[in-house]
């Protein structure tokens, strides 16, 4: 297991995707896609938004059934029988969203659902923690988790340690293939380097790593090969040693600008320019300690203003002050000319603001409530008699109308929302916001952790909202998504606005996507344009 | 959970497993001693049990909203004391009752204010007010003996009956119906559950979490006040240490009824069943000549049993249903989400510890 594996030309293929095709209700997510990964290789999976990477990994990890095609492990075609079968066959996946249980100890997380049982009164009832610890102690130590930390609740650790724990959790079951979906998201620079070290040591253990990432610069010196996807098709597999970022970008997006992640002009067309329109929200000198500093901007009717910036730039902090979750040190906010007192979220909602929060699971849904109850909660007066008496009939009717209107896929709006897929949960939260008839809607990472098909739908909802004259503020970490949806982007760095990019729909239509993208990226990173 | 059996669905209603246990307990005690279901025994038993059951309801409301109120027992004791005091001083019946209820409400508002607006941990706040109320009752009882009330009608609050049913049963019945409607049918009830499920997410959705918290503590205090008045009426005299330990029985009753301490779950029915179960247990032991010194031990064991029982029943049901739907029947959700779903259930059980 720990011996150094020779990665020569003759290394046998461990994982193969053969001609995999998948449709999501008319949208072709994968079109005869192929992938070939050798033993002990770091294989990058690249592609723009909706290129099919997520769909492919969800098929490989047994979560999704392909319409046609097959996945082969060590040359044997796998029966598509669900994620558990994939894991026991040797394919583990570490998702972008952490899937650890915060309250449980590291050890219990590692063995969650696969606990080693000790017999009590002849029945395998209790977990044998001592044996579990013995099994993973050395492995955990290799990835920076001490024996003591094994017994500490996961909630006490930061992002990097949580990744390490996920890695240990995956490796504890001797996978042949480990899929890493954006493993560096949420990590600081130094932490990324540690993670890369771990990835090298996994490679040395002979594990094939399939690495999904948007950050091309991370690949060099670590990835062995890269397979590029575009529009659900496999474009090419190239050895990293003989390629460059430019070549990869061309492979990812093609030479045709129309095919850029954000370059679909058909969708852009109905985003009208905001010049001369009525100002809906006017924020002046917003300041909160040192995280938000002197931010001023306007949002017009029918306009989507994007907030760009790196992690920690203060984007979420700005919108949290607007919605009254965090209080301002100084600054004023006017909504349709009326000065708001932003004491708490209730007064913000009452004034006509609404927010779709980041981190749907923690901040968005009320998991134990039904879809209908999740939709109505922000403005219960729309489903009451006499303003305080809940009407089940009205609540159902409201939920059913949003279900049809937004395409929320659930057999029953009275079913627990926790059982819906991420995308449908997100649509329900959009419905919740729309039900308050907001004057300004804040979308904070609206497509975080939802699948391709749902992403497309949520994008359509955001556009539709603005097309009907709604004003919105959008935060999206994926730059393509941000540019694709915004009329105008404000770039934040260290809590301040360092730049603004206007007339984005027109620029994209003119084929300038790459230019504005690099402008926004440069501003985010450097604080000024070069 | 469409795929679960009818049995599983019935048992997953909050308080339902305990309802069955309650019925079982009644049957057992009846078999042991046929006096158990005798009319006057039942009337007596209900009159004795009602104050505690009301306190249980109050605590349950706080717990559903995601908090805890430890002060209810001594606040009820103090409310009994202030009512007595007012009546002894010659206040009319209505004023005496108002003083008792007001005492409870005042303590509830103070608790709520400290917890909701000054954001002090509710455990600490109510532990403090528990002792404040207990101390005040000692002081009050030294000012003058809290007994010998002759105000007409006061004793009848608990000892009287209308159409053969004890007066206090009407009072408790009305309160339970109001509470049930409030929680199940109104905007406040909906927000209460939302805040209990996730205060954070509710806040983001624009629900005023502080107002709601204040409401839960105020309700709990008021119910403790009402309970105090009934206790004073029943006992006719209030001693210095009245009410100490009631919070234990009340919280236990709520938990036994199936209200998870994690918040967001439970119902008025669950509180009623849990409270009734403990009262039944004590009554049954008494009628079977068990020495009262063993009551608290038996009660405590019953609590542990009740919690384990509730958790096992619900855990088995939820888990089996979840595994069936999430892991085998459906490919839709990501494993991460299934983990979270399983984790949510496990967490809610862990928190019940």
């Amino acid at each position: 297991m720990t011996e150094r594996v020779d990665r020569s030309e003759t290394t046998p293929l461990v994982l193969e995707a053969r001609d995999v095709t998948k449709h999501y209700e008319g949208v072709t997510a994968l079109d005869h896609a192929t992938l070939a990964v050798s033993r002990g290789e770091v294989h990058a999976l690249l592609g723009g938004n909706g290129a099919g990477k997520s769909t492919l990994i969800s098929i490989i990890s047994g979560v999704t059934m392909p319409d046609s095609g097959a996945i082969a492990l060590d040359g044997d075609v796998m029966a598509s029988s669900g994620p558990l079968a994939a894991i026991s066959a040797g394919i583990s996946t570490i998702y972008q969203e952490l899937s650890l249980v915060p309250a449980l100890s590291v050890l219990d997380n590692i063995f969650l659902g696969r606990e080693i049982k000790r017999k009590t009164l002849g029945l395998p009832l209790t977990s044998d923690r001592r044996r579990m610890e013995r099994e993973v102690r050395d492995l955990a130590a290799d990835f920076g988790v001490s024996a003591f930390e094994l017994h500490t609740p996961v909630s006490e650790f930061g992002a990097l340690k949580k990744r390490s724990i996920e890695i240990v959790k995956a490796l504890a079951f001797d996978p042949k293939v480990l899929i890493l979906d954006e493993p560096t998201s949420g990590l600081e620079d130094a932490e990324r380097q540690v993670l890369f070290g771990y990835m090298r040591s996994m490679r040395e253990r002979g594990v094939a790593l399939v690495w999904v990432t948007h950050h091309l610069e991370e690949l060099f010196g670590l990835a062995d090969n890269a397979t590029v996807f575009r529009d659900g098709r496999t474009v090419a597999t190239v050895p990293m040693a003989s390629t460059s970022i430019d070549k990869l970008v061309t492979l990812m997006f093609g030479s045709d600008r129309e095919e850029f992640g954000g370059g679909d002009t058909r969708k852009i067309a109905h985003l009208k320019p905001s010049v001369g329109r009525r100002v809906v929200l006017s924020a002046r000198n917003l300041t909160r300690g040192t995280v938000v500093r002197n931010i001023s901007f306007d949002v017009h009717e029918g306009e989507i203003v994007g907030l760009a910036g790196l992690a920690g730039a203060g984007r979420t902090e700005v919108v949290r002050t607007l919605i009254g979750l965090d209080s301002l040190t100084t600054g004023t906010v006017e909504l349709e000319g009326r000065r708001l007192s932003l004491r708490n979220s209730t007064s913000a909602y009452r004034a006509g603001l609404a927010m779709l929060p980041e981190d749907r699971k923690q901040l968005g849904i009320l998991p134990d409530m039904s879809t209908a109850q999740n939709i109505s909660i922000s403005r219960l007066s729309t489903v009451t008699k006499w303003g305080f008496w809940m009407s089940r009939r009205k609540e159902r009717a409201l939920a059913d109308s949003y279900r049809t209107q937004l395409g929320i896929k659930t057999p029953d709006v009275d079913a627990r929302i926790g059982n819906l897929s991420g995308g449908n949960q997100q649509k329900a939260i959009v419905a919740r916001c729309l039900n308050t008839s907001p004057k300004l809607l804040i979308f904070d990472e609206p497509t975080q952790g939802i699948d391709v098909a749902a992403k497309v739908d949520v994008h359509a909802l955001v556009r539709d909202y603005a097309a009907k004259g709604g004003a919105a503020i959008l935060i999206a970490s994926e730059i393509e998504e941000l540019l694709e949806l915004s009329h105008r982007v404000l770039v934040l760095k260290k809590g301040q606005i360092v730049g603004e990019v206007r007339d984005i729909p027109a620029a994209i239509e003119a084929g300038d996507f790459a230019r504005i993208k690099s402008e926004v990226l440069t501003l985010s990173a450097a604080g000024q344009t070069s | 959970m469409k795929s679960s059996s009818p049995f599983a669905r019935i048992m997953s209603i909050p308080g339902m497993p305990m309802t069955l246990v309650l019925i079982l307990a009644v049957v057992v005690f009846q078999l042991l001693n046929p006096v158990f279901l005798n009319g006057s025994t039942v009337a007596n038993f209900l009159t004795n049990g009602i104050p505690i059951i009301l306190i249980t309801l109050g605590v349950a409301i706080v717990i559903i909203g995601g908090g805890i109120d430890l002060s209810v027992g001594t606040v009820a004791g103090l409310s009994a004391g202030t009512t007595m005091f007012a009546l002894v001083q010659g206040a009319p019946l209505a004023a005496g009752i108002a003083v008792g209820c007001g005492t409870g409400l005042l303590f509830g508002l103070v608790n709520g204010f400290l917890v909701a607006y000054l954001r002090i941990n509710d455990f600490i706040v109510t532990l403090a007010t528990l002792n404040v109320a207990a101390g005040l009752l000692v002081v009050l009882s030294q000012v003058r003996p809290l007994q010998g009330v002759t105000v007409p009608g006061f004793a009848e609050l608990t000892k009287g009956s209308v159409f053969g049913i004890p007066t206090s049963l009407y009072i408790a019945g009305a309160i339970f119906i109001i509470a049930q409607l409030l929680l199940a049918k109104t905007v406040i009830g909906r927000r209460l559950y939302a805040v209990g499920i996730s205060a954070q997410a509710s806040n983001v959705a624009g629900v005023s979490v502080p107002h709601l918290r204040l409401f839960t503590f105020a309700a709990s205090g008021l119910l403790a006040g009402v309970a105090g008045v009934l206790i004073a009426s029943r006992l006719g005299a209030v001693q210095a240490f009245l009410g100490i330990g009631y919070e234990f029985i009340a919280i236990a009753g709520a938990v036994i009824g199936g209200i998870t301490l994690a918040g967001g779950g439970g119902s008025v029915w669950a509180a009623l069943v849990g409270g009734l179960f403990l009262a039944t247990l004590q009554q049954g032991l008494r009628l079977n000549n068990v020495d009262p010194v063993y009551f608290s031990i038996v009660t405590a064991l019953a609590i542990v049993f009740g919690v384990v029982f509730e958790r096992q029943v619900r855990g088995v049901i939820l888990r089996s249903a979840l595994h069936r739907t999430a892991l085998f029947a459906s490919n839709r959700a990501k494993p991460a989400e299934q983990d979270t779903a399983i984790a949510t259930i496990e967490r809610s059980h862990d928190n019940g510890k």
Side-chain angles (χ1 to χ4, degrees), chain B residues 126-153:
Chain B
T126 57
L127 191 60
T129 47
L130 178 159
N131 285 293
V132 171
L136 284 176
L137 181 58
V138 174
V139 172
L140 198 63
S141 66
Q142 282 173 359
V143 174
R144 66 177 299 171
L146 301 170
Q147 55 189 351
V149 171
T150 52
V151 177

Side-chain angles (χ1 to χ4, degrees), chain B residues 73-311:
Chain B
T74 58
V75 167
L78 178 64
S79 301
T82 53
T83 297
M84 229 30 176
F85 188 80
L87 294 176
V88 171
Q89 298 284 25
L93 179 63
I97 294 174
V99 166
C101 296
T103 306
L105 182 61
L106 180 69
F107 266 83
L109 289 171
V110 169
N111 282 335
F113 176 77
L114 293 172
V115 171
Y117 296 98
L118 300 190
R119 300 186 188 195
I120 309 174
N121 181 287
D122 49 8
F123 196 93
I124 300 299
V125 166
T126 57
L127 191 60
T129 47
L130 178 159
N131 285 293
V132 171
L136 284 176
L137 181 58
V138 174
V139 172
L140 198 63
S141 66
Q142 282 173 359
V143 174
R144 66 177 299 171
L146 301 170
Q147 55 189 351
V149 171
T150 52
V151 177
F154 185 60
E156 274 63 46
L157 279 180
T158 48
K159 291 175 183 133
S161 66
V162 180
F163 306 124
I165 295 167
T167 329
S168 56
L169 199 60
Y170 289 101
I171 300 172
I175 290 174
F176 269 91
I177 290 170
I178 291 169
Q180 167 64 24
L181 293 177
L182 193 73
L183 262 62
K185 297 286 179 190
T186 68
V187 169
I188 293 175
R190 175 59 59 77
R191 292 192 179 125
L192 174 71
Y193 283 98
V195 169
I197 289 169
S198 170
Q200 233 186 344
S202 300
N203 191 21
V204 169
V207 175
S208 179
V209 177
H211 287 20
L212 215 287
R213 286 226 191 288
L214 179 67
F215 163 77
T216 63
F217 284 99
S220 170
L222 180 60
L223 284 166
V226 173
V229 172
L230 294 179
I231 292 169
S233 157
R234 180 166 59 85
L235 297 178
V238 172
Q239 303 299 321
F241 298 102
L242 181 69
I244 291 174
Y246 285 14
E247 71 283 345
F248 173 69
I249 301 173
I251 293 170
V255 171
I256 286 183
I259 298 171
T260 55
L261 290 174
S267 61
V268 169
W269 175 248
L272 179 60
V273 171
L276 266 179
F277 176 74
L278 285 184
T280 306
L281 190 67
Q282 296 210 344
Q283 174 78 345
L285 294 176
R286 201 174 292 126
L287 286 179
N288 286 287
N289 299 318
V290 175
D291 191 327
V293 295
Y294 295 109
F295 282 10
S296 63
I297 299 175
V298 175
T299 308
L301 291 178
I303 291 160
V304 175
F305 164 78
V307 173
V308 171
F309 175 78
E310 176 82 24
R311 250 186 25 201

Side-chain angles (χ1 to χ4, degrees), chain A residues 349 354-358 426 429-430 433 441-446:
Chain A
Y349 271 83
M355 177 163 90
L356 178 130
E358 62 171 354
Q426 198 71 320
I429 307 295
V430 173
C433 293
L441 213 168
I442 298 165
F443 297 96
D444 192 354
E445 301 286 5

Side-chain angles (χ1 to χ4, degrees), chain A residues 266-287:
Chain A
R266 282 161 303 173
K267 295 175 196 158
I268 300 288
H270 68 259
L271 285 181
K272 295 189 184 66
S274 56
V275 184
R277 289 207 173 194
R278 197 164 54 90
V279 173
V280 175
L281 179 104
S282 167
R284 289 293 171 269
N285 308 317
L286 301 185
T287 301

Side-chain angles (χ1 to χ4, degrees), chain B residues 40-55:
Chain B
S40 68
T41 323
V42 171
N44 180 31
F45 149 69
L46 287 175
T47 319
N48 288 337
I50 277 171
I52 280 282
I53 294 173
L54 288 176
I55 297 173

